[in-house]
Amino acid sequence: MPLYVRETRQITGAKGSLVFVKSLPKVAYGELVEIDVEGETRLGQVVDISQEITVVQVFGSSLGITPGRTVVRLRGETLKIPVSTDMLGRIFNGLGKPIDGGPEILPEDYLDIHGDPLNPALRMPPSEFIETGISVIDGMLTLVRGQKLPIFSGSGLPHNKIAMQIVRQASVKGSGESFAVVFGAVGVTFEEAMYFINELKGMGAIDRTVAFLAPASAPPVEKLALPRVALTTAEYLAWRQDMHVLAILTDMTNYCESLKEISAAREEVPGRRGYPGYMYTDLATMYERAGRVEGKKGSVTIMPILTMPDDDITHPIPDLTGYITEGQIVLSRDLWRKGIYPPVDVFLSLSRMMKEGIGPGKTREDHHQVFSQLMSAYAEGQRLREIIAIVGVESLSEKDKKYLEFADEFELKFINQGETERRSIEETLDLAWDLLAILPEEELKIRDEYVKKYHPKYRVSR
Amino acid sequence: MPSRTGRIHRIAGPLVVATDIPSPMMYEVVYVGEEGLIGEVISVRGEKAYIQVYEETTGLTVGERVEATGELLSAELGPGLISTIYDGLQRPEVEIARAVNDIFIKRGVRVNSLNRSTKWVFAADQRVRVGDKVEPGDVIGLVQETPIVTHKIMVPPGVSGTLKWRAGDGEYRVDDVVAVVETGDRKYEVKLYHRWPVRIPRPYKEKLPPSEPLITGIRVIDLMFPIAKGGKAAVPGGFGTGKTVLLQSLAKWSYADIAIFVGCGERGNEMADALKSFLELHDVRRNRPMMERSIFIANTSNMPVAARETSVLLGVTLAEYFRDMGYDVLLVADSTSRWAEAMREISGRMEEMPGEEGFPAYLASRLAEFYERAGRVVALGRPERRGSVTIFGAVSPPGGDFSEPVVRNTLRYVQALYALDYDLATRRHFPAVNWLMSYSLYVDYVKEYLDERSAGRWHETRNVFVKILQREAELLDIVRLVGPEALPEEDKLTLEVARMIREGFLQQYAYDPNDAFSPLEKGFLIMEAIRRFHEVALSLIRSNVPLFKIRELKSPYMVYKLKLYAPHEVEKVYNDYVQTLEVEVKKLTGG
Ligand SMILES: Nc1ncnc2c1ncn2[C@@H]1O[C@H](COP(=O)(O)OP(=O)(O)OP(=O)(O)O)[C@@H](O)[C@H]1O
Ligand SMILES: Nc1ncnc2c1ncn2[C@@H]1O[C@H](COP(=O)(O)OP(=O)(O)OP(=O)(O)O)[C@@H](O)[C@H]1O
Ligand SMILES: [Mg+2]
Ligand SMILES: [Mg+2]
């Protein structure tokens, strides 16, 4: 027990989720606070301290807080969560409390949810290919361990299905190492939350999954805490338990909205479109927790999912995310309308770590060149689609028509894939060759030796 | 000096207000709280000192002590800088890891910037002798810091007098005294290192106008929008447009003697990627690992925001120090926007009057001060040395919109703009430098240098290319309305040649081992090849050969492929092309 006073009723004001309290001696910046309101205990955090006044951010609303009656108590520590491998298979709220009816976990440690920055000098460049079994991702947007690669989606697009397909199918080629999924859902509807839980149960993956759910109705601060709680767990499993962790966080747009709400309550000068100026840093401190580190067996891979307001990629939420993550998988409403699943726009999408993760020994020797060829041929097809919209298909040469055919087939056969269909990287690359065979052979800017080896015309049936 | 301490009065994120410090000084370093977190006084109002704290402030309490040092935030300058990875406070990150024995950066760690136990081989420079009068910048000795960097031990700025004593050749640690300079009755001990405040530009004798290009190996820079040694350039672009790849390529390949990479508020993984390739790749000119001439400052986006400012200032201070030795130094800062955002955050906490988009009114002057530290100079001291600092700053405008304050203010102070374009990047045209928006005011300064090396052809050809590309943009507007076939033959040819310039010359894949670095000679040959095709095709068209016939030729394809050959193979392929073109044209004209 501390010797000095750790609680007070001297509240001098309240506004939004902020409570102004007379400063107690030794109040620490960032420490956790308990507020007793009408028999219920709410949590809060110290966000500004001066000699006289301490500003407390309440996790929840300040409803019912009354100067003189409400008790504010300092906890003397920052927000920490208990962690242990027992968390696998369990479901928690945004503050790390079990919500699946099961018992509290037996903690192996308590960790500060804000974590510490990884030492840049100890990082290893991510380079191990994760096979998702989804052609457009494995072939065109390769994901590697330790990468942070978001899905930029729009309302009504099948991002959740894609995420679940990845969780179900993701594996690292040629390794039977221990793998865990940390799943965090921020501000999702009850239906969505149940979809995830049922999917995870259904695929038998629940035992290697830790799920965190903060429904839409949860207080903003719980939504702000959730991704940090989830990533703290991910780090624990990766760095202390040697696991390869894939952390999926959805829907980060809800997180950003909560951030905006709280910033407004604090009357901060708003940045672009009302989002706080520090949103970049705030998101970065979470996403930078992804990585691979010297001397550690585990890894943290992060896949945030967000819905772009109005499908606008220049909106601050996708924009700032794109400035932090190592690429993005962008979903296209046009492709979705055409009935293509997963409707990935390969032009707007990018995996920046791809070049490290593909090639001989990782995927296949021809992957680099096949990728470039698919990209440029699809782009050419796309360009021709625009031209025929003006001048009609008649004015095109035979060669051009082949490119158009290629673009159509590429969408229908390569991008398009069943929700439960799993294609190995070899299947994906062979499929790519089948489609490239539509084009005249002299159009292929691929090394002869690969053409001879993989082009269907020469390929001995394997 | 009596210790000057005060107390914490207020804590708001990275901003701490202290009272009771006896006469606080602007920009002096203070140690905040029991853990001694490093901070800097950035404003004094009445008896309150506003402190920007460079480490995480969680857990600080009001009333904790604040110790003022009376010293400005300074860098340690001496042997051991090269190949080191520093944080924004010049702490070697590998040492931090050793000190905390963890994979994470913890706060309150104090480690020396320069290792105190490493021994360096010092050799006296006999051009200066004991008994001589010495001035700041005079080289008194040399240390071979890496196989390719000779570190010059100079009389520090502000010190002059008689060289009283100098250590004999041998091994010394950085804080061993290697010389004594006597001024009147005062003695100054020269060590292998000295300290210099990062906010103050290091002095030099004279600034020189730009004259030589800094060869970067990137064609769109060297041959379209050249950069001069001592130049300053901005690289703005939305996310994923290629700023980091471009800056890394520059740091890797350019003909600088020293390359300093400042990762300011950006990604850890790409830093790791850069470090790895700097160890693996070899410098073109000297065939040594690039790391042997490089310094990294890695203050990633999840590290304390306030230290973004110090990381940029530290970088430029180190650059000036090597410039003073007579080296051509390249400094790349990725990204200056993150520094600007840090200024905005601190300014907001200080409740200063916000300017545009919340940035403080002094944003412009801070940017100006930074870019002004670039330049080519005659350094202080003997023997006479010329050195330069060339700065490339990445800018990350929200939404890729160049009208925002950081881009706009930066453009007031730089002389070259490499505008990275989202559309080009989406089409995988890399480097995605938009040729219509970008410019270099160094063209006229480096014209002579480049023309001398290209038989007088460079400047003229460049202008032809610029015209063709501009014309292409106009023609494409028309094509969008009527389709390409409606154009007259000559215009169709313009489109054809423009495409050749874009794909065969401007595009340069950073990961292609044959093309990652393109020497001037290779670029000149590609330029000649395109120009030759243009001239030949134009005369064919004028003698009524239809363009589709020209399109059937093989030789144009050879132009596209030129860049894929290693520098030493290009000339042969170029000659093949010239011959093939000649033969094909003869056939076509029935000659
Ligand atoms: N010169 C190049 N050659 C080949 N690929 C390139 C080149 N420049 C960029 N790219 C591609 O574009 C991707 C994004 O580039 P980069 O990381 O440099 O963008 P950026 O502008 O720094 O983005 P951010 O602002 O988000 O940091 C790279 O991962 C690479 O795939
Ligand atoms: N797209 C471009 N390509 C090549 N050079 C350019 C381009 N745009 C500008 N420049 C060069 O840069 C110079 C300065 O450009 P800037 O836009 O600052 O001119 P300004 O605003 O008219 O001049 P002032 O600085 O007097 O306001 C121009 O004189 C021109 O030579
Ligand atoms: Mg970048
Ligand atoms: Mg102007």
Side-chain angles (χ1 to χ4, degrees), chain B residues 24 94 134 157 255 341 417 471 541:
Chain B
V94 174
V134 290
Y255 280 7
E341 286 162 14
L417 163 66
R471 180 74 186 135
I541 283 179

Side-chain angles (χ1 to χ4, degrees), chain A residues 27-29 48-51 116-117 119 146 272 280-281 284 288 319 323-326 347 349 352 355-356 390, chain B residues 9-11 13 59-62 93 103-106 240 265 267-269 301 308 338 397-399 428 480 511:
Chain A
V27 51
Y29 185 76
D48 196 323
I49 316 173
S50 65
Q51 208 96 53
D116 282 314
N119 188 325
R272 222 162 56 99
Y280 170 84
T281 303
E288 278 296 318
D319 187 52
Y323 270 123
I324 297 163
T325 53
E326 283 127 4
F347 298 116
S349 304
R352 303 194 196 191
K355 64 172 201 311
E356 310 298 332
I390 310 163
Chain B
H9 172 81
R10 184 179 161 211
I11 309 149
L60 284 182
T61 65
V62 165
E93 288 173 349
I103 58 175
F104 297 108
I105 300 254
K106 303 278 182 187
R267 302 173 183 82
N269 278 339
S301 55
R308 290 181 192 167
R338 307 301 167 218
R428 306 300 193 260
R480 244 164 248 129
Y511 311 116

Side-chain angles (χ1 to χ4, degrees), chain B residues 225 435-441 462:
Chain B
F225 308 109
W435 48 89
L436 300 174
M437 283 172 75
S438 303
Y439 60 83
S440 162
L441 302 185
R462 173 193 185 263

Side-chain angles (χ1 to χ4, degrees), chain A residues 227-269:
Chain A
R228 293 187 170 80
V229 169
L231 291 170
T232 302
T233 309
E235 284 185 333
Y236 169 79
L237 295 174
W239 311 135
R240 303 253 193 109
Q241 303 297 334
D242 295 339
M243 293 183 176
H244 292 291
V245 183
L246 173 63
I248 295 190
L249 301 171
T250 185
D251 175 338
M252 289 305 285
T253 296
N254 296 332
Y255 171 90
C256 295
E257 294 303 336
S258 299
L259 197 69
K260 177 176 168 179
E261 193 179 324
I262 282 179
S263 169
R266 287 166 72 167
E267 296 183 353
E268 292 168 337
V269 182

Side-chain angles (χ1 to χ4, degrees), chain B residues 522-541:
Chain B
K522 178 175 176 179
F524 289 144
L525 282 177
I526 300 177
M527 285 179 103
E528 272 314 298
I530 295 174
R531 200 165 159 195
R532 184 178 285 252
F533 171 75
H534 184 215
E535 283 164 4
V536 168
L538 202 58
S539 74
L540 287 174
I541 283 179

Side-chain angles (χ1 to χ4, degrees), chain A residues 323 352, chain B residues 240 242-245 266-267 270 334-335 394 396:
Chain A
Y323 270 123
R352 303 194 196 191
Chain B
K243 297 179 292 297
T244 303
V245 173
E266 292 286 317
R267 302 173 183 82
E270 66 194 15
D334 185 12
S335 162
S396 315

